[in-house]
Every structure is written in structure tokens, then in C-alpha cells.
């Protein structure tokens, strides 16, 4: 286990340096990630001026940057090009390189996005209570893990289809619609709110933001953590099974 | 115990196909057609520890696919294999630490901004090579492959030959016991090819590594391998000594003469005239008749020089790739 952590740390360091060379592109990625929460903040502040969702959307901005995942680009492409061979030849779990790149990208997103976070904090009416922020930290870690597992599992569709980008895109759309970005879960219609709470999408984005913004009662928080843990187990097992099935189909034939 | 053992291995994959044109392209969205491609068909062979075997065949024969199956990268459709006592496609970490697959098309599979030494240090970490052993291995590889000027250079700036040398060091820094070399000299100039060949031979001799080498450059095979496995259309056609393959596929030798004057006798009466350029004559003669014919030539013709040579290996193997091999060769020697 410690050897895997050593190797993971080496991959993170390596990809941090690699993305230094592509920092201008990283800026555009961060801008792309920041747009949706900022639009949500503007829209809901206008639609429900008394609701004060500034804290929620600022926390959502942070959550987006911390949970960002691009495995349809960083990993599916390696399946299509045959470069996955390099990962399969190494004496460690093939996922480590992908995870290392994911964590390095997230670090860059937070670093580059920090000025925007500070600006929104100063310019909006967002305010946070320290206990709420501390209670949200485990949820944020869980959301980061869940988003990676979710995107990685969808990216594994590259073993079966040439449309992995589309598959992951559909997943991204579901996260946007049901994950608390288009509509915060507490504002969902009564008929579908229980579904929105139970599905994995809120656990990836909206759940940590709701805790940090003080929008959840303790019992609702516990239920949310329960769902997050359940989905983590589902996608961890799912990713392992899909990987096992997919790697058997991998056909980088030819020289 | 054999170090590499393949038994009735087959690899079949489905390749999407469609006709040309927009209509066919749109139709394929609704109904996709596939063709089964048998890349490897029922191939069996063994390599003993320390063997350096050439794995040859025409383009698309299944050589690279076979190497990838034995390296654990691909799953076969049928059959079994054992490399160092492991089933390759189970990808046990103890197995992966002892093998290397070096591809001429991508010898140094590292991010381009890393320096060569960065890449070697990364391999040290991945393969858990102790520091002292790493320094010792590095020193040997630097000397054998003349890597000193390259260590601080980024991978992106290396030429193909430099990438191949760095790539060999990168793949061998942890001293694998089994090497799969897939076209290691492809696209390289004569000087670098000589270095690579010498290095492979030295590495095998020093470490006792078992090597399976594919190459279209027959000189690689001729200089490095006593034994060859010939594969064509996915099937094993020949497995045995290179000399035997040459004899079976080319039952003739080439007798070259330099004449002092115009020959009185008809040259065709001595054998098939392959070339006649002024005083230089080349005859193709059945192997069994060479000694007797040489005596007749020396007695009948004004000869100033006479040599007997094997036909060029490229020509011999070209014959095999042309399909004659399947009819003329027993599969194992």
C-alpha cells in the first residue's frame, strides 16, 4: 500500500510539472469550470433574492474545482491510441497514473481558481460558519473520490465504444441537472427532491456545498453521508468490474 | 523449465468494416458490420532461459500481437501461455517486474518534458530498484549505449536513434529477465543499428536474459539469433535453426566467378546463370552439387576468382513470405 502511495505521489509531482508547461490551457479549463456556479449564483440571486444562496454557490465553485475530472480526455484517449499498453506494462495498478493526473489537475484548478474564489467571497454576501465548513470537509473528500470513480467508470466505456466522450458528457449533464448546479437540491420540487437526494450526482457536487452553506440539518446531513458512502462503494466496485471486463477486450494489435 | 511457453494461442478480434461513401457511413450508424480477424492462430512454442530467438514474418503476420499477449497486454481468445511461471495476462506485479516490452515505434514511453535521467529515476521508483543497484545498472547502460550526453536532455528533443538508445536503457534499468523486442532497429541508421545489436547481444550474454525479437531487418536476425520462429497469417510456419530455414527455403547456393577471358563452354551447362556482367558471373547451384561443380568450373573455365555464398537472407525470407514456406517447411525442427 505504501509503495502505491509513493508511486501515486510521484505521478502527482510529475503531472504537476507537466501541466506547468500547459498552464495557459489550464486557465481556460478553470474558467470553464467556474462559469456554471457563477451563472447559478447570478440566476438564483435574481430569482430568489431572499434565499441568499451566495454561500451555497461559492461553496459549489470550490467543490467543482476540487472534484474536476477529465478522464474522457486523459484516459479514454489512451485506450483509443493504444498508449494504455504503457500503463499495463507497469508493476502497479494501471489506474494510478490516471489518478495521479487527476489529482495534479485538481491542484492546478484550485490554485488558478483561488483569485476567483476570493473575489466572489468579497463581492457577494457569502459567509460561512467554521463548524459548517469543517463538517463539509469529509463530504468534499467523498465528493472528489466519487466524481473520479464516476467519470473513470464512464471513461472505461472506451473499451466498448468510440463514443466515450459522449458517454462521459451525458454523465456530466446529469451531474449538472441533478447535482445541485442547475437547481440546489433543497429547491427541487417536492415530488423529485427525494430522488435528487438519493442519486449519486448531488453527492458529487451539491452535498458538500449544502453543508458548508449551513443548509442542512444534522439528520439530513447524516442521510447525505450515508448516500455518499453507498455510491462510493457502488462505483468503486463498478469501476473494478468494468475495468476487468474492458481490459480483456483491449485490442492494440499491430506494431 | 521453459522460460516462455505458448500453447495453442489464438487471438481473434472484431474489426468494424463498411463500404466507402456517405450512404454507407450513415448506414453504419444504424447497422454496424464486423469482420473477424484472426491475428494469431493456434501458435505453440517454447523458449529456454537465455535463448535469443528471432520472431519473423511478413507485415500483419501476428508478430507484435503475439509479443503483446506474452507481455500480458492482450488477452488471447484461446490457448494458454506461461512466462517465468506466470500467466501473462493476469498481470501479476512479480511478473511485470521481470519483463520488458520494447517497441521500436515507441521506445521511450515517457512524457516529453522529462529528461532521460528523470525517466530513469521514475523507472527506479516504479520497479523498486535499490539505489546501489540503480547506480550500477545505470553506469553499465551509459557505457554500453553511450548515454552520457543524453542524460540531461528532454525526451522531446531526442532523435529517433537517441530515443531508441534511451528507451533501451529505460526498459532495462531494472534488469528484466525476459525481453520482448518489437522492431528495435526500425528507422535507425547503420551506426545506431550496430550499437543496438551489439548491446542486445552483450546484455543477453551478461544477464542470461531470454529474448524474443521481431525485426524486418534480416541482418538483425542473422547476427543475433541462431533460432527463428516464422509466423505467417497468424500461423507458425517454422521453428528451428536459421541455417536450416535457409537450407529448406533456398536449396541452392551462389557461386560467383571472375573470368580471365571469354569462356569457351556454355555457362548455362554448369548451372542457372543468375548474373552475367562482363567478367563477373554468378551461378545458382544445388547445394549438393557445389563441390563437384566447383571442380568442373576450375577445370573448364579461365577463372581468376571463385567464391561460394549463401543466398541473401532477405531473398530467402522473401520467398517464405511469398507463401512457398507453408508448402515446403515442416513446422518444427
Amino acid at each position: 500500500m505504501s509503495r502505491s502511495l509513493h508511486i501515486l505521489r510521484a505521478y502527482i509531482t510529475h503531472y504537476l510539472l507537466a501541466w506547468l508547461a500547459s498552464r495557459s490551457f489550464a486557465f481556460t479549463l478553470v474558467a470553464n469550470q467556474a462559469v456554471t456556479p457563477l451563472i447559478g449564483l447570478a440566476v438564483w440571486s435574481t430569482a430568489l433574492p431572499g434565499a441568499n444562496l451566495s454561500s451555497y454557490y461559492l461553496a459549489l465553485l470550490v467543490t467543482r474545482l476540487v472534484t474536476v475530472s477529465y478522464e474522457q480526455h486523459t484516459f479514454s484517449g489512451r485506450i483509443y491510441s493504444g498508449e494504455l499498453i504503457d500503463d499495463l506494462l507497469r508493476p502497479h495498478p494501471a489506474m494510478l497514473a490516471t489518478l495521479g493526473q487527476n489529482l495534479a489537475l485538481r491542484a492546478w484548478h484550485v490554485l488558478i481558481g483561488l483569485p476567483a474564489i476570493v473575489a466572489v467571497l468579497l463581492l457577494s454576501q457569502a459567509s460561512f460558519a467554521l463548524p459548517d465548513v469543517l463538517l463539509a470537509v469529509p463530504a468534499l473528500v467523498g465528493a472528489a473520490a466519487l466524481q473520479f470513480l464516476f467519470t473513470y467508470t464512464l471513461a472505461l466505456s472506451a473499451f466498448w465504444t468510440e463514443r466515450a466522450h459522449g458517454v462521459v458528457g451525458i454523465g456530466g449533464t446529469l451531474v449538472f441537472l441533478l447535482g445541485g448546479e442547475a437547481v440546489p437540491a433543497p429547491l427541487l420540487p417536492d415530488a423529485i427532491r427525494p430522488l435528487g437526494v438519493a442519486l449519486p450526482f448531488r453527492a458529487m457536487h451539491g452535498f458538500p456545498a449544502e453543508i458548508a452553506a449551513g443548509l442542512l440539518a444534522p439528520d439530513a446531513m447524516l442521510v447525505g453521508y450515508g448516500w455518499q458512502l453507498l455510491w462510493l462503494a457502488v462505483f468503486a466496485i463498478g469501476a473494478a468490474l468494468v475495468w476487468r471486463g474492458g481490459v480483456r477486450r483491449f485490442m492494440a494489435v499491430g506494431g | 523449465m521453459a522460460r516462455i511457453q505458448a500453447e495453442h494461442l489464438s487471438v481473434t478480434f472484431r474489426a468494424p468494416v463498411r463500404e466507402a461513401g456517405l450512404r454507407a457511413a450513415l448506414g453504419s450508424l444504424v447497422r454496424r458490420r464486423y469482420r473477424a480477424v484472426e491475428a494469431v492462430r493456434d501458435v505453440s512454442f517454447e523458449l529456454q532461459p537465455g535463448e535469443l530467438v528471432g520472431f519473423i514474418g511478413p507485415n500483419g503476420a501476428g508478430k507484435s500481437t503475439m509479443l503483446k499477449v506474452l507481455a500480458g497486454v492482450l488477452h488471447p481468445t484461446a490457448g494458454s501461455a506461461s512466462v517465468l511461471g506466470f500467466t501473462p495476462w493476469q498481470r501479476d506485479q512479480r511478473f511485470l517486474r521481470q519483463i520488458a516490452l520494447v517497441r521500436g515505434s515507441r521506445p521511450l514511453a515517457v512524457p516529453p518534458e522529462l529528461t532521460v535521467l528523470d525517466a530513469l529515476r521514475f523507472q527506479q521508483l516504479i520497479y523498486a530498484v535499490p539505489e546501489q543497484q540503480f547506480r550500477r545498472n545505470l553506469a553499465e547502460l551509459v557505457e554500453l549505449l553511450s548515454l552520457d550526453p543524453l542524460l540531461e536532455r528532454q525526451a522531446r528533443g531526442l532523435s529517433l536513434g537517441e530515443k531508441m538508445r534511451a528507451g533501451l536503457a529505460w526498459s532495462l534499468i531494472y534488469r528484466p529477465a525476459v525481453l520482448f523486442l518489437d522492431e528495435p532497429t526500425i528507422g535507425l541508421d547503420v551506426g545506431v543499428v550496430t550499437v543496438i545489436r551489439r548491446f542486445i547481444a552483450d546484455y543477453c550474454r551478461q544477464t542470461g536474459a531470454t529474448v524474443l525479437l521481431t525485426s524486418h531487418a534480416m541482418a538483425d536476425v542473422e547476427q543475433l539469433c541462431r533460432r527463428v520462429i516464422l509466423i505467417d497469417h497468424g500461423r507458425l510456419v517454422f521453428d528451428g535453426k536459421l541455417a536450416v530455414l535457409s537450407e529448406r527455403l533456398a536449396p541452392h547456393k551462389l557461386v560467383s566467378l571472375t573470368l580471365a577471358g571469354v569462356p569457351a563452354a556454355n555457362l548455362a551447362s554448369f548451372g542457372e546463370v543468375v548474373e552475367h556482367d562482363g567478367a563477373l558471373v554468378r551461378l545458382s547451384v544445388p547445394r549438393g552439387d557445389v563441390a563437384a561443380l566447383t571442380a568442373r568450373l576450375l577445370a573448364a573455365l579461365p577463372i581468376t576468382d571463385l567464391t561460394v555464398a549463401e543466398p541473401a537472407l532477405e531473398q530467402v525470407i522473401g520467398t517464405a513470405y511469398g507463401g512457398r514456406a507453408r508448402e515446403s517447411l515442416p513446422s518444427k525442427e
Side-chain angles (χ1 to χ4, degrees):
Chain A
M1 179 69 173
S2 70
R3 201 178 92 80
S4 290
L5 287 174
H6 252 72
I7 293 171
L8 178 62
R9 192 174 66 182
Y11 275 120
I12 294 170
T13 306
H14 159 67
Y15 282 113
L16 279 171
L17 294 172
W19 275 93
L20 185 64
S22 307
R23 55 193 176 276
S24 50
F25 180 50
F27 269 94
T28 63
L29 292 175
V30 173
N32 194 40
Q33 292 294 325
V35 158
T36 313
L38 294 178
I39 290 176
L41 172 61
V43 167
W44 285 103
S45 298
T46 305
L48 292 175
N52 193 13
L53 290 168
S54 303
S55 304
Y56 172 79
Y57 273 101
L58 177 56
L60 192 66
L61 171 60
V62 173
T63 303
R64 265 190 81 104
L65 296 180
V66 169
T67 64
V68 72
S69 290
Y70 298 112
E71 279 68 52
Q72 71 274 33
H73 301 295
T74 61
F75 180 68
S76 299
R78 294 177 71 75
I79 296 175
Y80 293 140
S81 68
E83 287 177 20
L84 186 69
I85 291 175
D86 304 330
D87 300 339
L88 293 175
L89 286 169
R90 294 197 183 114
H92 61 64
M95 194 184 75
L96 278 186
T98 305
L99 179 59
Q101 184 163 16
N102 178 282
L103 294 174
L105 271 168
R106 287 173 176 180
W108 272 111
H109 275 64
V110 170
L111 187 65
I112 294 172
L114 207 50
I117 294 169
V118 171
V120 173
L121 182 64
L122 294 174
L123 295 173
S124 69
Q125 295 171 326
S127 64
F128 298 92
L130 184 60
D132 291 335
V133 172
L134 292 175
L135 283 169
V137 168
L140 186 60
V141 172
L146 185 57
Q147 177 77 72
F148 172 75
L149 288 171
F150 176 71
T151 312
Y152 180 74
T153 304
L154 294 182
L156 287 171
S157 63
F159 283 123
W160 286 271
T161 174
E162 290 160 21
R163 300 174 183 86
H165 290 71
V167 172
V168 175
I170 291 171
T173 301
L174 289 170
V175 173
F176 168 73
L177 290 174
L178 299 171
E181 293 184 37
V183 182
L187 298 180
L188 284 171
D190 290 342
I192 63 170
R193 191 179 308 129
L195 186 65
V197 166
L199 287 174
F201 313 112
R202 173 198 178 231
M204 292 178 212
H205 279 190
F207 178 56
E210 289 171 39
I211 300 176
L215 297 178
L216 281 184
D219 55 345
M221 199 184 311
L222 278 175
V223 170
Y225 270 115
W227 282 116
Q228 193 178 60
L229 285 171
L230 175 67
W231 287 114
L232 274 168
V234 166
F235 279 101
I237 294 168
L241 291 174
V242 174
W243 164 260
R244 197 175 294 174
V247 79
R248 293 183 68 87
R249 292 174 53 91
F250 181 57
M251 277 294 166
V253 294
Chain B
M1 179 182 157
R3 185 152 278 181
I4 298 175
Q5 199 169 18
E7 282 191 43
H8 305 292
L9 279 176
S10 295
V11 179
T12 302
F13 64 95
R14 290 197 321 160
V17 293
R18 65 167 175 80
E19 291 170 12
L22 182 60
R23 193 170 166 180
L26 290 173
S28 71
L29 292 176
V30 176
R31 198 168 133 250
R32 209 152 202 206
R33 291 190 300 125
Y34 293 90
R35 179 187 301 157
V37 177
E38 292 181 276
V40 176
R41 303 190 216 185
D42 194 26
V43 172
S44 302
F45 58 83
E46 281 184 10
L47 267 70
Q48 302 302 324
E51 275 200 278
L52 202 172
V53 176
F55 196 55
I56 61 176
N59 291 335
K63 305 183 299 295
S64 297
T65 303
M66 192 67 194
L67 255 56
K68 286 171 189 165
V69 169
L70 294 174
V73 171
L74 301 182
H75 283 64
T77 318
S80 64
S82 170
V83 178
L84 296 163
F86 295 95
T87 300
W89 45 93
Q90 289 176 353
R91 295 185 53 249
D92 190 302
Q93 290 193 16
R94 293 167 295 174
F95 161 72
L96 292 172
R97 280 201 199 109
Q98 299 182 74
I99 66 145
L101 171 62
V102 182
R103 294 168 287 157
S105 57
R106 192 173 152 78
L108 189 60
V110 300
E113 63 279 343
L114 284 188
T115 65
V116 173
L117 190 53
D118 278 338
L120 291 169
R121 282 287 181 190
F122 203 73
Q123 286 290 78
Q124 178 192 11
L125 173 66
I126 299 290
Y127 287 90
V129 183
E131 180 65 19
Q132 210 169 3
Q133 189 181 339
F134 175 81
R135 287 181 188 273
R136 201 167 48 237
N137 295 348
L138 181 62
E140 282 179 26
L141 290 166
V142 164
E143 191 192 330
L144 284 172
L145 292 166
S146 307
L147 286 182
D148 222 10
L150 304 182
L151 289 176
E152 292 181 353
R153 288 180 52 192
Q154 286 181 307
R156 74 168 93 237
L158 300 178
S159 70
L160 185 57
E162 289 168 343
K163 271 189 189 146
M164 192 65 226
R165 287 189 285 136
L168 275 171
W170 180 75
S171 293
L172 302 181
I173 192 72
Y174 54 96
R175 293 274 197 191
V178 172
L179 302 187
F180 300 107
L181 302 176
D182 195 0
E183 308 260 11
T185 61
I186 191 169
L188 301 180
D189 67 48
V190 168
V192 177
V193 166
T194 305
V195 169
I196 301 297
R197 281 186 202 145
R198 191 171 56 228
F199 171 78
I200 292 171
D202 288 346
Y203 182 85
C204 289
R205 197 169 41 249
Q206 287 173 12
T207 65
T210 306
V211 178
L212 192 55
L213 160 78
T214 76
S215 182
H216 284 302
M218 286 303 118
D220 288 349
V221 178
E222 212 166 6
Q223 291 191 23
L224 293 171
C225 310
R226 285 206 191 93
R227 175 183 163 201
V228 292
I229 297 171
L230 173 58
I231 185 170
D232 190 12
H233 286 87
R235 289 203 190 281
L236 189 146
V237 175
F238 177 84
D239 179 0
K241 290 196 169 63
L242 182 58
V244 171
L245 177 66
S246 289
E247 278 178 29
R248 293 292 166 89
L249 288 175
H252 294 75
K253 283 198 174 187
L254 292 174
V255 177
S256 300
L257 314 170
T258 306
L259 299 173
V262 176
N266 181 5
L267 290 170
S269 64
F270 295 101
E272 182 190 346
V273 179
V274 174
E275 187 182 348
H276 188 176
D277 183 11
L280 186 63
V281 178
R282 192 164 287 146
L283 301 171
S284 177
V285 176
R287 288 177 183 267
D289 297 344
V290 168
L293 179 73
T294 305
R296 280 177 55 206
L297 286 167
L298 288 169
L301 299 175
I303 294 172
T304 59
D305 190 23
L306 184 148
T307 56
V308 179
E310 293 284 345
L313 189 58
E314 261 87 4
Q315 202 178 340
V316 171
I317 301 301
T319 306
Y321 292 179
R324 274 186 48 191
R326 282 192 291 276
E327 293 94 35
S328 64
L329 289 172
S331 62
K332 285 224 166 56
E333 288 294 321

